[in-house]
Amino acid sequence: MASIRNIRLYIDCDLIISSNIELDDMKSHYLCNVMRCTQGENIKCFNSQDGEFLCEIQNINKKSTTIKVLQQIKTPSLESDIWLIFAPLKKDKTDFVIEKAVELGVSKIIPVITQHTNSEKIKVERYKQQAIEAAEQCERLSIPQISTAKSLTDLLTEWNKERVLFFMNEQRNGQDAITTFTKYANKPAAILIGPEGGFSTDEIAKISAQDFVKNISLGPRILRAETAATASLAVWQSCVGDWKKSKENL
């Protein structure tokens, strides 16, 4: 068998055994110029509906590469239904939040514009590419949906009340995270993180007044927005998400 490179590519089309797939310019450039792959080498390709497959490079150059799907090595799996809603931060910090959200199993990411949001330049296509790259690295099969940006008012007005919204309240007067996450373990959920300057007093009142919102405290210290996002998702996964389910299956 040909050598298998430690390369995973997200493929946005059907992965069918024995089929040939022509890769786009970006993926061809990556395989040819960055990873220096050659004809006959094997790589891994995946998507959420088909799973992960071993594939062989049939021909390769910097503009056009064809792969052949050989065999399935991982079947699709049900993932946790958890959303992350966050106010965009400065560039590097937004990049960090998106990367960690993907690694922590978020199924949807919604940028929200608040009074203190630092940047209103939401680059959804760039966020999507970051999410794909993060999924390729962490061996996840799915790519979270990246929503267009919404104002806080529109977000609350349009909210599906069947989904509980956990509000990470920087005032530190919310409920215990572990207890509250566990209480709503059987409901679809979302986590709301504020901007670097925090929510305004009026925004906190507006959020807290919604009956689908549960105020959550993340402990005695004020956390940066990117820390709060990572910490809250980690706690949720540990309490009721796929971390807990993995532990139960041991």
Side-chain angles (χ1 to χ4, degrees):
M1 179 182 291
S3 62
I4 303 174
R5 295 289 296 272
N6 188 26
I7 297 171
R8 296 179 79 242
L9 291 181
Y10 170 71
I11 303 296
D12 189 19
C13 68
D14 293 338
L15 288 167
I16 302 171
I17 292 176
S18 296
S19 66
N20 290 323
I21 299 172
E22 185 172 345
L23 304 182
D24 59 31
D25 290 355
M26 183 180 295
K27 288 184 173 62
S28 295
H29 168 78
Y30 172 72
L31 292 177
C32 182
N33 296 339
V34 179
M35 300 307 296
R36 305 291 184 184
C37 292
T38 59
Q39 183 177 343
E41 286 190 295
N42 289 338
I43 62 173
K44 299 173 184 177
C45 297
F46 70 96
N47 60 40
S48 59
Q49 67 268 21
D50 299 314
E52 186 166 328
F53 291 76
L54 187 67
C55 299
E56 181 183 71
I57 298 174
Q58 298 289 289
N59 58 68
I60 182 168
N61 61 62
K62 63 183 179 181
K63 291 187 177 180
S64 176
T65 298
T66 302
I67 60 173
K68 182 175 182 178
V69 183
L70 300 181
Q71 66 184 69
Q72 187 179 55
I73 55 178
K74 187 183 294 185
T75 58
S77 58
L78 185 64
E79 296 183 337
S80 300
D81 184 11
I82 182 69
W83 296 2
L84 175 66
I85 304 164
F86 80 105
L89 311 169
K90 294 176 182 177
K91 179 180 178 296
D92 291 345
K93 293 181 179 180
T94 292
D95 293 350
F96 178 89
V97 170
I98 292 174
E99 179 183 271
K100 301 312 168 190
V102 175
E103 292 177 8
L104 289 165
V106 164
S107 55
K108 186 175 183 178
I109 297 173
I110 305 175
V112 64
I113 304 302
T114 70
Q115 184 175 328
H116 296 153
T117 296
N118 277 324
S119 172
E120 295 187 13
K121 296 179 180 179
I122 313 300
K123 299 180 179 178
V124 173
E125 291 305 314
R126 181 169 176 273
Y127 295 172
K128 288 179 180 178
Q129 186 56 42
Q130 289 175 309
I132 289 172
E133 292 174 3
E136 290 173 342
Q137 290 293 320
C138 73
E139 298 197 2
R140 178 175 172 171
L141 291 179
S142 67
I143 309 298
Q145 178 184 350
I146 310 291
S147 172
T148 55
K150 293 179 177 291
S151 69
L152 180 62
T153 297
D154 287 346
L155 178 83
L156 297 175
T157 301
E158 299 168 4
W159 194 258
N160 180 352
K161 296 183 179 181
E162 293 302 311
R163 182 176 295 273
V164 61
L165 179 59
F166 295 118
F167 169 37
M168 302 297 112
N169 192 332
E170 67 264 24
Q171 293 185 330
R172 295 169 289 180
N173 57 4
Q175 304 171 56
D176 172 73
I178 294 175
T179 302
T180 310
F181 286 161
T182 303
K183 180 178 180 180
Y184 295 95
N186 295 322
K187 289 184 69 68
I191 287 172
L192 173 61
I193 304 294
E196 290 170 302
F199 288 107
S200 69
T201 301
D202 288 345
E203 287 173 331
I204 291 173
K206 182 183 292 185
I207 296 167
S208 301
Q210 310 302 317
D211 57 8
F212 52 82
V213 169
K214 307 303 172 187
N215 277 272
I216 302 291
S217 171
L218 283 175
R221 291 167 292 278
I222 294 291
L223 303 181
R224 291 180 180 272
E226 65 271 24
T227 307
T230 306
S232 56
L233 287 169
V235 174
W236 188 90
Q237 287 287 18
S238 180
C239 290
V240 301
D242 51 30
W243 290 9
K244 178 179 175 60
K245 293 170 185 175
S246 296
K247 184 177 179 180
E248 290 173 345
N249 292 331
L250 292 177

